[in-house]
Amino acid sequence: MGNRQEVALLTGAGSGIGRAAALELSRRGVAIAVTDLRAEAAQAVAAEIRAQGGVAVGLALDVADPVAIGAVFDRAEAELGGIDILVNSAGLLIVEPLLGLASESWHKVMAVNVTGTFLCSQRAGRGMAARGHGRIVNIASISGMRAGVGRAAYGTSKAAIIGLTRQLALELGPLGVTANAIAPGVIETPMTMGAYSEETWARVLDMVPARRRGLPADIAEAVAYLASAGAGYVNGVVLTVDGGYMAAGMTQTGALRV
C-alpha cells in the first residue's frame, strides 16, 4: 500500500447504512466512491464528504446492470485509484406473503441483492487480487439467518449473500483479499422504516435485549473495522450487529420476563 490513500467504493451509499459507512470510512482517511441508483443521492453524499475535508466522487450505479458496473468501476479507478475496499450495501426489500409473491418481485430482489453483490465483488476482486490486498464487506441481514413473514425473497437473498461471502473468503483469501459479511438487525433506515407499523416495532423491540432500534452508525463502525488493517486475519465471518436479537432466543419463560 505504501503511502497511497486507500480507496473505497460503496454501493447503495446514497442513504442509510451505505451513507453512514461512507462517512465513517472518510473520517478514517479513505477516499470514497459513493454509488447509488439515484445519481443525485450519490452526489449529495459525496459533496457532504468533501465539505468535511474528505475525498469523494458520486456516481450513479444500477448494480443489476453488468455493463454499468464495469463503467462505474473504471471511472472510480480513473479518478481515485485502485479500489482497496468494497462495501456492497445496495439492497432491495420487498415484503410479500410467500404464496402471493410475484415472480417479478423475486427476480428483482435477487438481481439487486445477490447478483449485484456477486458482480461488484468479482470486478473489485480482480483488481484487489492483482495488487495482493483488499477488503470486501457485504451487508447481509439477520433475515438471512432467521425466517420472517413476507420475507421469502429478501431473506433468501441475504442467506445467499452469506454463502457468497464464504466463497469469496475461500477463493480470494490466498490472494490477500478478505471477505466478510455484516448481518444487521433492526436498523432505522429509509428502506426498513416503511416495513413496520407501530405495533410491529413494539413487538420486535421487545425481542431485542438492547431495547432500541439500531442506527446506521452502528453498522458503519462494524464496516470500518472489517475494512481496516486490524481485521487482516478476519475472513469469512458473519458479524451480527443486532442489539442481541440473535442471541436472545426465547425471551420469555413462564412468568419470567427480561
Side-chain angles (χ1 to χ4, degrees):
M1 289 296 298
N3 294 321
R4 183 178 75 84
Q5 184 177 25
E6 282 195 300
V7 177
L9 186 146
L10 298 91
T11 69
S15 64
I17 289 171
R19 172 184 171 275
L23 291 168
E24 184 59 37
L25 288 171
S26 175
R27 281 191 286 268
R28 298 184 184 216
V30 180
I32 308 295
V34 180
T35 76
D36 196 276
L37 183 62
R38 303 156 298 150
E40 67 280 3
Q43 290 161 4
V45 174
E48 186 177 0
I49 290 171
R50 292 193 297 269
Q52 296 175 3
V55 177
V57 296
L59 305 168
L61 174 60
D62 178 358
V63 297
D65 182 349
V67 175
I69 289 172
V72 167
F73 269 81
D74 287 346
R75 183 173 168 189
E77 290 169 342
E79 295 198 29
L80 301 176
I83 306 301
D84 304 291
I85 300 163
L86 170 67
V87 181
N88 284 303
S89 183
L92 178 63
L93 169 62
I94 294 178
V95 179
E96 294 180 4
L98 175 68
L99 297 182
L101 178 63
S103 62
E104 294 82 2
S105 297
W106 172 273
H107 290 299
K108 193 171 182 180
V109 170
M110 294 301 160
V112 173
N113 296 4
V114 184
T115 305
T117 297
F118 163 69
L119 291 173
C120 289
S121 297
Q122 185 183 58
R123 174 60 176 79
R126 288 172 178 148
M128 293 174 180
R131 292 186 297 276
H133 171 80
R135 300 278 187 269
I136 296 174
V137 182
N138 296 326
I139 304 300
S141 170
I142 58 172
S143 290
M145 305 165 79
R146 292 180 65 171
V149 175
R151 298 191 176 215
Y154 183 76
T156 301
S157 75
K158 293 300 185 176
I161 288 173
I162 290 170
L164 173 61
T165 299
R166 292 171 176 149
Q167 193 68 35
L168 292 168
L170 172 66
E171 297 199 35
L172 299 182
L175 305 175
V177 181
T178 66
N180 296 288
I182 296 171
V186 183
I187 309 297
E188 267 186 36
T189 70
M191 185 178 76
T192 60
M193 290 301 287
Y196 294 89
S197 66
E198 286 302 316
E199 179 188 356
T200 54
W201 271 125
R203 288 167 57 191
V204 168
L205 292 179
D206 200 39
M207 297 185 286
V208 178
R211 291 295 189 267
R212 70 170 176 88
R213 294 192 287 247
L215 300 173
D218 294 316
I219 309 304
E221 290 286 348
V223 169
Y225 166 65
L226 292 174
S228 72
Y233 203 57
V234 180
N235 195 25
V237 307
V238 181
L239 175 61
T240 56
V241 183
D242 64 356
Y245 178 84
M246 290 294 293
M250 187 175 292
T251 57
Q252 299 180 52
T253 303
L256 300 179
R257 185 183 180 90
V258 295

